[in-house]
C-alpha cells in the first residue's frame, strides 16, 4: 500500500453518527438495526431472513425504507465517485466496521481526515432518513490531497477506487513487528502494515520466472487489491476467458529478458502468475480502455460474468489454498464513450438480498437478469462462507 501523509481533523466526528441521536426516538431503533445487521453479516446471507423479522418494528418506523438504499447527489461530474462509493458502502464487513465506530479508534494522527469523512458519509447513507445525501464533504477532503478529483472534471472510476483504498489504508493501518525465519542460523524482523482494507481487499500473487537457458526458477510475491484483466475478444467473451488470459504463461524476450544470476547474463524466460492468497473481497478491473497507436479507445465487448459460484482455484497455488467460491456483490458500469461517459453502480443489498441500480440519486430495484450487462467495468466479488 502506498503511504501518504496529511493532517488529521476529526473535530466534526461526533460520538453518534450524523442523523442518529441517543435521545432521538428513532436513534435506538436504528442502532438496534445496526446490531442486527452486524450479527447477520458474521454468518453471511443465511440469517438475513432473521434480521428482517427481528427488525420489523424498526423497518416500520422507517416507513419501509431499508437502510443503505440512499442516493448520492452529483456535484458536477462526480458520477464516477458516486458509483465507487455505492459499491464500497455495499460491502457488509466494511459497513459494519465504520458504522460500529471501530474506525475512530484506529485513526492515525497523520492522514486521517479522509477516513473520518468516509465514515461520516457511510453513516449518512445507512442511518439517515433522506432519500439522497451529498458526498460534498468527502469529495472536498479528498480534493485537497488529490486535485485531480475535483467536481468539475470526469475521472476514471478505477483510478478513484485505488486512491480511496490507499487513503483508507494509510489512515487506519497498524504497524506490527513479526519475526521471519530466513534460515536455521539467521533471523530478522519485518514490519507488517495491516488495516481493514488489507484484511478485506488485499490478496497475494506469486510470479514464477524460469530462465529458458538454465531452467533456474525464481519466485516473486506481489500484493494486489484490484486485478486488471485483459479482454481477449472484441465481441463476446467470459470472465473466465479474461482470467485465463491474465494467468497464462508468457515468454519474456528482447527488451523484456531477465538477468539470470546463474548464467550471469540476460536470457529469455517464461513467467506465470498464480494466486497464493485470495482476499475476502476480490475486485476485477476489466480493461475496456486501451491505446491504439496514439489514440485511446473503449472496448464494448460483452463479457459474461457469474453472479455466484465463481471458482478461482484453477489460478491458485496450490489449488487447495482457495477453499471457497465467490459471489458477485457489486458492479460499476461505464456507459458511453471515453469523453462523454457516465458511471452507474449495481449493488446487492445485504438485507433484502435484492439487486439495485444506483444512478446518482436515482435508485431502482432490478432483477438478477439485469445485473449482466455489456457496460460492466469493475466487478466486486465476495468470498462465500464455507459451512462444514
Amino acid at each position: 500500500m502506498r503511504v501518504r501523509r496529511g493532517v488529521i481533523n476529526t473535530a466534526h466526528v461526533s460520538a453518534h453518527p450524523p442523523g442518529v441521536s441517543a435521545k432521538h426516538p428513532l436513534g435506538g431503533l436504528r442502532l438496534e438495526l445496526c446490531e442486527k445487521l452486524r450479527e447477520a453479516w458474521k454468518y453471511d446471507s443465511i440469517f438475513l431472513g432473521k434480521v428482517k423479522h427481528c427488525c420489523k418494528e424498526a423497518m416500520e418506523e422507517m416507513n419501509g425504507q431499508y437502510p443503505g438504499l440512499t442516493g448520492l447527489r452529483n456535484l458536477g461530474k462526480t458520477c464516477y465517485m458516486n458509483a465507487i462509493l455505492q459499491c464500497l458502502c455495499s460491502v457488509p464487513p466494511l459497513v459494519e466496521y465504520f458504522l460500529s465506530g471501530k474506525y475512530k479508534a484506529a485513526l492515525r494522527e497523520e492522514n486521517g481526515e479522509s477516513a473520518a469523512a468516509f465514515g461520516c458519509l457511510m453513516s449518512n447513507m445507512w442511518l439517515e432518513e433522506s432519500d439522497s445525501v451529498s458526498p460534498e464533504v468527502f469529495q472536498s477532503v479528498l480534493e485537497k490531497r488529490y486535485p485531480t478529483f475535483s467536481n468539475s472534471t470526469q475521472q476514471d472510476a478505477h483510478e478513484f477506487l485505488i486512491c480511496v483504498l490507499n487513503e483508507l489504508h494509510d489512515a487506519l493501518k497498524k504497524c506490527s513487528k513479526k519475526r521471519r525465519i530466513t534460515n536455521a542460523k539467521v533471523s530478522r524482523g519485518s514490519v507488517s502494515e495491516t488495516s481493514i482494507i488489507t484484511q478485506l481487499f488485499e490478496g497475494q500473487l506469486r510470479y514464477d520466472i524460469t530462465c529458458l537457458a538454465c531452467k533456474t526458477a525464481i519466485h516473486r510475491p506481489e500484493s494486489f487489491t484490484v486485478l486488471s484483466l485483459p479482454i481477449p475478444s472484441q465481441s463476446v467473451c467470459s470472465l473466465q476467458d479474461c482470467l485465463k488470459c491474465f494467468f497464462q504463461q508468457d515468454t519474456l524476450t528482447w527488451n523484456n529478458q531477465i538477468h539470470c544470476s546463474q548464467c550471469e547474463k540476460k536470457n529469455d524466460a517464461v513467467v506465470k502468475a498464480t494466486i497464493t492468497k485470495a482476499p475476502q473481497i476480490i475486485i476485477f478491473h476489466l480493461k475496456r480502455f486501451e491505446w491504439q497507436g496514439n489514440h485511446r479507445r473503449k472496448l464494448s465487448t460483452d463479457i459474461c460474468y457469474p453472479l455466484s459460484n465463481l471458482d478461482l482455484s484453477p489460478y491458485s497455488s496450490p489449488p487447495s489454498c482457495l477453499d471457497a467460491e465467490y459471489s458477485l456483490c457489486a458492479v460499476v458500469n461505464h456507459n458511453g464513450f471515453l469523453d462523454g461517459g457516465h458511471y452507474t453502480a449495481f449493488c446487492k443489498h445485504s438485507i433484502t438480498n435484492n439487486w439495485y441500480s444506483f444512478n446518482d440519486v436515482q435508485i431502482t430495484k432490478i432483477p438478477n437478469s439485469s445485473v449482466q450487462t455489456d457496460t460492466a467495468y469493475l466487478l466486486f466479488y465476495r468470498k462465500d462462507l464455507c459451512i462444514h
Side-chain angles (χ1 to χ4, degrees):
M1 285 288 188
R2 187 169 57 252
V3 178
R4 298 183 182 276
R5 298 185 179 273
V7 179
I8 186 172
N9 178 12
T10 58
H12 61 285
V13 181
S14 61
H16 298 285
V20 178
S21 168
K23 298 181 181 180
H24 193 282
L26 259 185
L29 290 172
R30 291 180 180 279
L31 293 177
E32 177 188 357
L33 179 58
C34 262
E35 292 297 326
K36 298 294 183 181
L37 285 170
R38 191 178 310 156
E39 287 300 315
W41 291 336
K42 290 180 181 178
Y43 302 98
D44 207 39
S45 60
I46 296 176
F47 292 92
L48 290 178
K50 293 183 179 180
V51 175
K52 286 183 276 188
H53 176 73
C54 294
C55 302
K56 183 178 180 181
E57 293 183 2
M59 292 301 182
E60 290 174 351
E61 289 287 347
M62 294 160 63
N63 298 320
Q65 178 183 343
Y66 287 100
L69 294 180
T70 304
L72 290 172
R73 296 167 201 152
N74 196 312
L75 305 177
K77 295 183 179 180
T78 57
C79 59
Y80 69 93
M81 177 178 69
N82 291 348
I84 292 298
L85 292 175
Q86 289 290 4
C87 290
L88 291 178
C89 290
S90 296
V91 175
L94 189 66
V95 176
E96 188 275 328
Y97 179 81
F98 277 93
L99 293 191
S100 67
K102 295 176 185 176
Y103 77 96
K104 295 179 184 178
L107 279 176
R108 297 169 62 85
E109 293 182 358
E110 50 196 54
N111 193 31
E113 193 175 4
S114 298
F118 182 85
C120 289
L121 177 62
M122 186 172 288
S123 295
N124 289 339
M125 294 173 66
W126 272 88
L127 302 177
E128 282 201 350
E129 300 178 59
S130 304
D131 292 333
S132 64
V133 296
S134 174
E136 183 176 5
V137 173
F138 176 74
Q139 184 274 331
S140 62
V141 169
L142 206 65
E143 185 183 359
K144 291 177 184 177
R145 296 174 53 75
Y146 303 94
T148 300
F149 299 119
S150 67
N151 58 12
S152 60
T153 56
Q154 176 72 280
Q155 298 296 329
D156 182 73
H158 170 235
E159 295 177 0
F160 180 77
L161 170 64
I162 296 297
C163 172
V164 172
L165 292 180
N166 275 322
E167 279 292 290
L168 295 179
H169 168 73
D170 289 345
L172 302 169
K173 66 187 177 184
K174 296 179 181 179
C175 296
S176 60
K177 289 187 177 180
K178 59 182 181 180
R179 292 180 64 83
R180 180 176 61 195
I181 305 301
T182 55
N183 56 49
K185 297 181 180 180
V186 181
S187 65
R188 62 180 180 177
S190 64
V191 176
S192 174
E193 294 181 346
T194 63
S195 69
I196 186 64
I197 302 303
T198 58
Q199 292 169 21
L200 295 179
F201 298 96
E202 187 175 88
Q204 193 84 18
L205 294 175
R206 187 184 74 191
Y207 288 93
D208 299 323
I209 306 172
T210 304
C211 173
L212 289 179
C214 68
K215 306 303 179 184
T216 297
I218 59 174
H219 311 290
R220 293 180 180 173
E222 181 178 297
S223 299
F224 71 90
T225 50
V226 180
L227 282 183
S228 291
L229 304 181
I231 301 175
S233 171
Q234 295 186 13
S235 55
V236 179
C237 68
S238 68
L239 179 60
Q240 288 291 352
D241 293 330
C242 298
L243 288 166
K244 289 176 183 177
C245 188
F246 180 89
F247 287 103
Q248 71 181 357
Q249 180 174 285
D250 287 330
T251 303
L252 305 177
T253 61
W254 298 97
N255 294 333
N256 293 321
Q257 287 182 324
I258 65 163
H259 185 275
C260 178
S261 58
Q262 187 71 23
C263 300
E264 296 185 344
K265 64 176 183 178
K266 285 190 173 183
N267 287 327
D268 291 351
V270 292
V271 57
K272 182 174 176 60
T274 53
I275 300 173
T276 54
K277 177 190 172 186
Q280 290 189 44
I281 308 295
I282 190 165
I283 307 172
F284 298 119
H285 163 229
L286 304 177
K287 298 173 70 173
R288 292 194 178 276
F289 305 116
E290 67 174 17
W291 286 97
Q292 191 175 44
N294 295 325
H295 304 282
R296 288 188 75 194
R297 65 165 184 165
K298 178 185 176 181
L299 294 176
S300 299
T301 305
D302 189 357
I303 302 172
C304 180
Y305 44 89
L307 272 60
S308 60
N309 303 321
L310 174 64
D311 182 13
L312 297 179
S313 61
Y315 316 107
S316 67
S317 178
S320 58
C321 78
L322 286 181
D323 59 353
E325 295 181 333
Y326 285 79
S327 293
L328 190 67
C329 61
V331 181
V332 171
N333 301 296
H334 182 270
N335 298 273
F337 302 98
L338 290 174
D339 300 325
H342 180 63
Y343 288 98
T344 60
F346 294 159
C347 302
K348 190 174 185 179
H349 196 265
S350 53
I351 298 178
T352 67
N353 218 26
N354 294 323
W355 282 92
Y356 294 86
S357 170
F358 294 84
N359 184 357
D360 292 331
V361 297
Q362 185 178 354
I363 303 173
T364 308
K365 181 181 175 182
I366 59 175
N368 290 1
S369 59
S370 296
V371 179
Q372 177 70 54
T373 173
D374 60 0
T375 58
Y377 183 51
L378 293 163
L379 302 173
F380 292 66
Y381 279 88
R382 182 184 177 195
K383 184 184 291 186
D384 296 326
L385 287 181
C386 288
I387 302 176
H388 302 286

